[in-house]
Coordinates of all heavy atoms in Angstrom, one line a residue:
W486 N 2.4 2.0 -1.6 CA 1.0 1.6 -1.8 C 0.2 2.2 -0.6 O 0.6 2.2 0.5 CB 0.9 0.1 -1.6 CG 1.4 -0.8 -2.7 CD1 0.8 -1.2 -3.9 CD2 2.7 -1.5 -2.7 NE1 1.6 -2.1 -4.6 CE2 2.8 -2.3 -3.9 CE3 3.8 -1.6 -1.8 CZ2 3.9 -3.1 -4.2 CZ3 4.9 -2.3 -2.1 CH2 4.9 -3.1 -3.3
S487 N -1.0 2.7 -1.0 CA -1.9 3.2 0.1 C -3.2 3.5 -0.5 O -3.5 3.2 -1.7 CB -1.3 4.4 0.8 OG -2.1 4.7 2.0
N488 N -4.1 4.0 0.3 CA -5.4 4.4 -0.2 C -5.3 5.7 -1.1 O -4.3 6.4 -0.9 CB -6.4 4.6 0.9 CG -5.9 5.7 1.9 OD1 -6.0 6.9 1.6 ND2 -5.4 5.4 3.0
P489 N -6.2 6.0 -1.9 CA -6.1 7.2 -2.8 C -5.8 8.5 -2.1 O -5.0 9.3 -2.6 CB -7.4 7.2 -3.6 CG -7.9 5.8 -3.6 CD -7.5 5.2 -2.2
L490 N -6.5 8.8 -1.0 CA -6.3 10.0 -0.3 C -4.8 10.1 0.2 O -4.2 11.2 0.1 CB -7.3 10.2 0.8 CG -8.7 10.4 0.4 CD1 -9.6 10.5 1.6 CD2 -8.9 11.7 -0.4
T491 N -4.3 9.1 0.8 CA -2.9 9.1 1.3 C -1.9 9.2 0.2 O -0.9 9.9 0.3 CB -2.7 7.8 2.1 OG1 -3.6 7.8 3.2 CG2 -1.3 7.9 2.7
I492 N -2.2 8.6 -1.0 CA -1.3 8.7 -2.1 C -1.2 10.1 -2.6 O -0.2 10.7 -2.9 CB -1.7 7.8 -3.3 CG1 -1.5 6.3 -2.9 CG2 -1.0 8.1 -4.6 CD1 0.0 5.9 -2.7
I493 N -2.4 10.8 -2.6 CA -2.4 12.2 -3.0 C -1.6 13.1 -2.0 O -0.8 14.0 -2.4 CB -3.9 12.8 -3.0 CG1 -4.6 12.1 -4.2 CG2 -3.9 14.3 -3.2 CD1 -6.1 12.4 -4.3
K494 N -1.7 12.8 -0.7 CA -0.9 13.5 0.3 C 0.6 13.3 0.1 O 1.4 14.2 0.3 CB -1.3 13.0 1.7 CG -2.7 13.4 2.2 CD -3.1 12.9 3.5 CE -4.5 13.3 4.0 NZ -4.8 12.8 5.3
L495 N 0.9 12.0 -0.2 CA 2.3 11.7 -0.4 C 2.8 12.4 -1.7 O 4.0 12.9 -1.7 CB 2.5 10.2 -0.6 CG 3.9 9.6 -0.7 CD1 4.8 10.1 0.4 CD2 3.9 8.1 -0.7
E496 N 2.0 12.5 -2.7 CA 2.4 13.2 -3.9 C 2.7 14.7 -3.6 O 3.6 15.3 -4.1 CB 1.4 13.1 -5.0 CG 1.4 11.8 -5.8 CD 0.5 11.9 -7.0 OE1 -0.7 12.1 -6.8 OE2 1.0 11.7 -8.1
N497 N 1.8 15.3 -2.8 CA 1.9 16.7 -2.5 C 3.2 16.9 -1.6 O 3.9 18.0 -1.8 CB 0.7 17.2 -1.7 CG -0.5 17.3 -2.6 OD1 -0.4 17.4 -3.8 ND2 -1.7 17.2 -2.0
L498 N 3.5 16.0 -0.8 CA 4.7 16.1 0.0 C 5.9 16.1 -0.9 O 6.9 16.9 -0.7 CB 4.8 14.9 1.0 CG 6.1 14.8 1.8 CD1 6.3 15.9 2.8 CD2 6.2 13.4 2.5
V499 N 5.9 15.2 -1.9 CA 7.1 15.1 -2.8 C 7.3 16.4 -3.5 O 8.4 16.8 -3.7 CB 6.8 13.9 -3.8 CG1 7.8 14.0 -5.0 CG2 6.9 12.6 -3.1
K500 N 6.2 17.0 -4.0 CA 6.3 18.3 -4.7 C 6.9 19.4 -3.9 O 7.6 20.3 -4.4 CB 4.9 18.7 -5.2 CG 4.3 17.8 -6.3 CD 2.9 18.1 -6.6 CE 2.3 17.2 -7.6 NZ 0.9 17.5 -7.9
K501 N 6.6 19.4 -2.5 CA 7.1 20.4 -1.7 C 8.5 20.2 -1.2 O 9.2 21.2 -0.8 CB 6.2 20.5 -0.4 CG 4.8 21.0 -0.8 CD 3.9 21.0 0.5 CE 2.5 21.4 0.1 NZ 1.6 21.3 1.3
M502 N 9.0 19.0 -1.2 CA 10.3 18.7 -0.6 C 11.4 19.0 -1.6 O 11.2 19.0 -2.8 CB 10.4 17.2 -0.2 CG 9.5 16.9 1.0 SD 9.8 15.3 1.6 CE 11.5 15.5 2.3
E503 N 12.6 19.1 -1.1 CA 13.8 19.3 -1.9 C 14.0 18.0 -2.8 O 13.8 16.9 -2.3 CB 15.1 19.5 -1.0 CG 16.4 19.7 -1.8 CD 17.5 19.9 -0.9 OE1 17.3 20.0 0.3 OE2 18.7 19.8 -1.4
N504 N 14.4 18.2 -4.0 CA 14.5 17.1 -5.0 C 15.4 16.0 -4.5 O 16.6 16.3 -4.3 CB 15.0 17.7 -6.3 CG 15.0 16.6 -7.4 OD1 14.7 15.5 -7.2 ND2 15.4 17.0 -8.6
P505 N 14.8 14.8 -4.2 CA 15.7 13.7 -3.7 C 16.4 13.0 -4.8 O 16.7 11.8 -4.7 CB 14.6 12.8 -3.0 CG 13.4 13.0 -3.9 CD 13.4 14.4 -4.3
D506 N 16.6 13.7 -6.0 CA 17.4 13.0 -7.1 C 16.6 11.8 -7.6 O 17.2 10.8 -7.9 CB 18.8 12.7 -6.7 CG 19.7 12.5 -7.9 OD1 19.4 13.1 -8.9 OD2 20.7 11.7 -7.8
A507 N 15.3 12.0 -7.7 CA 14.5 10.8 -8.1 C 13.3 11.3 -9.1 O 13.0 12.5 -9.2 CB 13.9 10.2 -6.9
N508 N 12.7 10.3 -9.7 CA 11.6 10.5 -10.6 C 10.4 9.8 -10.0 O 10.5 8.6 -9.7 CB 11.9 10.0 -12.0 CG 10.8 10.2 -13.0 OD1 10.1 11.2 -12.9 ND2 10.6 9.3 -14.0
F509 N 9.3 10.5 -9.9 CA 8.1 9.9 -9.3 C 7.0 9.9 -10.3 O 6.8 10.7 -11.2 CB 7.6 10.8 -8.1 CG 8.5 10.8 -6.9 CD1 9.5 11.7 -6.8 CD2 8.4 9.8 -5.9 CE1 10.4 11.7 -5.8 CE2 9.2 9.8 -4.8 CZ 10.3 10.8 -4.8
M510 N 6.1 8.8 -10.2 CA 5.0 8.7 -11.1 C 3.9 7.9 -10.4 O 4.2 7.0 -9.7 CB 5.4 8.0 -12.4 CG 5.8 6.5 -12.3 SD 6.5 5.8 -13.8 CE 8.1 6.6 -13.7
Q511 N 2.7 8.3 -10.7 CA 1.5 7.6 -10.1 C 1.1 6.5 -11.1 O 0.7 6.8 -12.2 CB 0.3 8.5 -9.8 CG -0.8 7.8 -9.1 CD -1.9 8.8 -8.8 OE1 -1.9 10.0 -9.0 NE2 -3.0 8.2 -8.2
S512 N 1.2 5.2 -10.7 CA 0.9 4.1 -11.7 C -0.5 3.6 -11.5 O -1.0 2.9 -12.3 CB 1.9 3.0 -11.5 OG 2.1 2.7 -10.1
S513 N -1.2 4.1 -10.4 CA -2.6 3.8 -10.2 C -3.0 4.7 -9.1 O -2.2 5.4 -8.5 CB -2.8 2.3 -9.8 OG -2.5 2.1 -8.5
V514 N -4.3 4.7 -8.8 CA -4.8 5.5 -7.7 C -4.3 5.0 -6.3 O -4.4 5.7 -5.3 CB -6.4 5.6 -7.7 CG1 -6.9 6.3 -8.9 CG2 -7.0 4.2 -7.5
L515 N -3.7 3.8 -6.3 CA -3.3 3.2 -5.1 C -1.8 3.2 -4.9 O -1.2 2.7 -3.9 CB -3.8 1.8 -5.0 CG -5.4 1.6 -5.0 CD1 -5.7 0.1 -5.1 CD2 -6.0 2.3 -3.8
T516 N -1.1 3.6 -6.0 CA 0.4 3.5 -6.0 C 1.1 4.7 -6.5 O 0.7 5.4 -7.4 CB 0.8 2.3 -6.8 OG1 0.2 2.4 -8.2 CG2 0.4 1.0 -6.3
L517 N 2.3 5.0 -5.8 CA 3.2 6.0 -6.3 C 4.5 5.3 -6.4 O 5.0 4.6 -5.5 CB 3.3 7.2 -5.3 CG 4.2 8.3 -5.7 CD1 3.6 9.1 -6.9 CD2 4.4 9.3 -4.5
E518 N 5.2 5.5 -7.6 CA 6.4 4.8 -7.9 C 7.6 5.8 -7.9 O 7.4 6.9 -8.3 CB 6.3 4.0 -9.1 CG 5.2 2.9 -9.1 CD 5.4 1.9 -10.2 OE1 6.5 1.7 -10.8 OE2 4.4 1.1 -10.4
M519 N 8.7 5.3 -7.6 CA 9.9 6.2 -7.5 C 11.1 5.4 -8.3 O 11.3 4.3 -8.0 CB 10.3 6.4 -6.1 CG 11.7 7.1 -5.9 SD 12.0 7.3 -4.1 CE 13.8 7.6 -4.2
L520 N 11.7 6.2 -9.1 CA 12.9 5.7 -9.9 C 14.0 6.7 -9.7 O 13.8 7.8 -9.2 CB 12.6 5.5 -11.4 CG 11.4 4.6 -11.8 CD1 11.0 4.8 -13.2 CD2 11.8 3.2 -11.5
Q521 N 15.2 6.3 -10.2 CA 16.3 7.3 -10.2 C 15.9 8.5 -11.1 O 15.1 8.3 -12.1 CB 17.6 6.6 -10.7 CG 18.8 7.6 -10.8 CD 19.2 8.2 -9.5 OE1 18.8 7.8 -8.4 NE2 20.1 9.2 -9.6
K522 N 16.4 9.7 -10.8 CA 16.1 10.8 -11.7 C 16.4 10.6 -13.1 O 17.4 9.9 -13.5 CB 17.0 12.0 -11.2 CG 16.6 13.3 -11.9 CD 17.5 14.5 -11.3 CE 17.1 15.8 -11.9 NZ 17.9 16.9 -11.4
D523 N 15.5 11.1 -14.0 CA 15.6 10.9 -15.4 C 15.5 9.5 -15.9 O 16.1 9.1 -16.9 CB 16.9 11.6 -16.0 CG 17.0 13.0 -15.7 OD1 15.9 13.7 -15.8 OD2 18.1 13.6 -15.4
T524 N 14.8 8.7 -15.1 CA 14.6 7.3 -15.5 C 13.1 7.0 -15.7 O 12.3 7.4 -14.8 CB 15.1 6.3 -14.4 OG1 16.5 6.6 -14.2 CG2 14.9 4.9 -14.8
H525 N 12.7 6.5 -16.8 CA 11.3 6.1 -17.1 C 11.3 5.2 -18.3 O 12.4 4.9 -18.9 CB 10.5 7.3 -17.4 CG 11.0 8.3 -18.4 ND1 11.0 8.1 -19.7 CD2 11.6 9.5 -18.2 CE1 11.5 9.1 -20.4 NE2 12.0 10.0 -19.5
K526 N 10.2 4.6 -18.7 CA 10.1 3.7 -19.8 C 10.7 4.2 -21.0 O 11.3 3.5 -21.8 CB 8.6 3.3 -20.0 CG 8.0 2.4 -18.9 CD 6.5 2.2 -19.3 CE 5.8 1.4 -18.2 NZ 4.4 1.1 -18.5
G527 N 10.5 5.5 -21.3 CA 11.0 6.1 -22.5 C 12.5 6.0 -22.6 O 13.1 5.8 -23.7
V528 N 13.2 6.2 -21.5 CA 14.7 6.1 -21.5 C 15.1 4.7 -21.9 O 16.0 4.5 -22.8 CB 15.2 6.4 -20.1 CG1 16.7 6.2 -20.1 CG2 14.9 7.9 -19.8
G529 N 14.5 3.7 -21.3 CA 14.8 2.3 -21.7 C 14.5 2.0 -23.2 O 15.2 1.3 -23.8
I530 N 13.4 2.5 -23.7 CA 13.0 2.3 -25.1 C 14.0 2.9 -26.0 O 14.4 2.2 -27.0 CB 11.6 2.9 -25.3 CG1 10.5 2.1 -24.6 CG2 11.3 2.9 -26.9 CD1 9.1 2.7 -24.7
M531 N 14.5 4.1 -25.7 CA 15.4 4.7 -26.6 C 16.8 4.1 -26.5 O 17.6 4.1 -27.5 CB 15.5 6.2 -26.3 CG 14.2 7.0 -26.6 SD 13.4 6.6 -28.2 CE 14.7 7.1 -29.4
K532 N 17.1 3.5 -25.3 CA 18.4 2.7 -25.2 C 18.3 1.5 -26.2 O 19.3 1.2 -26.9 CB 18.6 2.2 -23.8 CG 19.0 3.3 -22.8 CD 20.5 3.6 -22.9 CE 20.9 4.6 -21.8 NZ 22.3 4.9 -21.9

C-alpha cells in the first residue's frame, strides 16, 4: 500500500528486476498485489 506515485515507482522496479517467480497486479491506484507466478482469479475460476 502507498500513494499513487510510490506505487508507480514500485511497479517500475518490479519490471526491471529479475523475475521473483511471482505475479503482480495493480488492484487500485494505492495498491500493488503479489501472488505466486501464474496465479490469478482466472486460474481459480477454471479450477
Side-chain angles (χ1 to χ4, degrees):
W486 291 274
S487 192
N488 61 75
L490 290 178
T491 303
I492 290 296
I493 291 172
K494 290 179 181 179
L495 184 53
E496 279 192 304
N497 290 334
L498 172 69
V499 167
K500 292 174 183 177
K501 294 177 182 178
M502 291 189 67
E503 182 180 348
N504 186 357
D506 200 25
N508 182 31
F509 293 88
M510 65 189 75
Q511 187 177 356
S512 49
S513 77
V514 296
L515 302 173
T516 53
L517 182 68
E518 301 196 15
M519 171 183 164
L520 302 166
Q521 177 61 13
K522 187 178 181 180
D523 298 325
T524 302
H525 50 76
K526 290 179 182 177
V528 173
I530 290 172
M531 294 314 299
K532 286 281 184 183

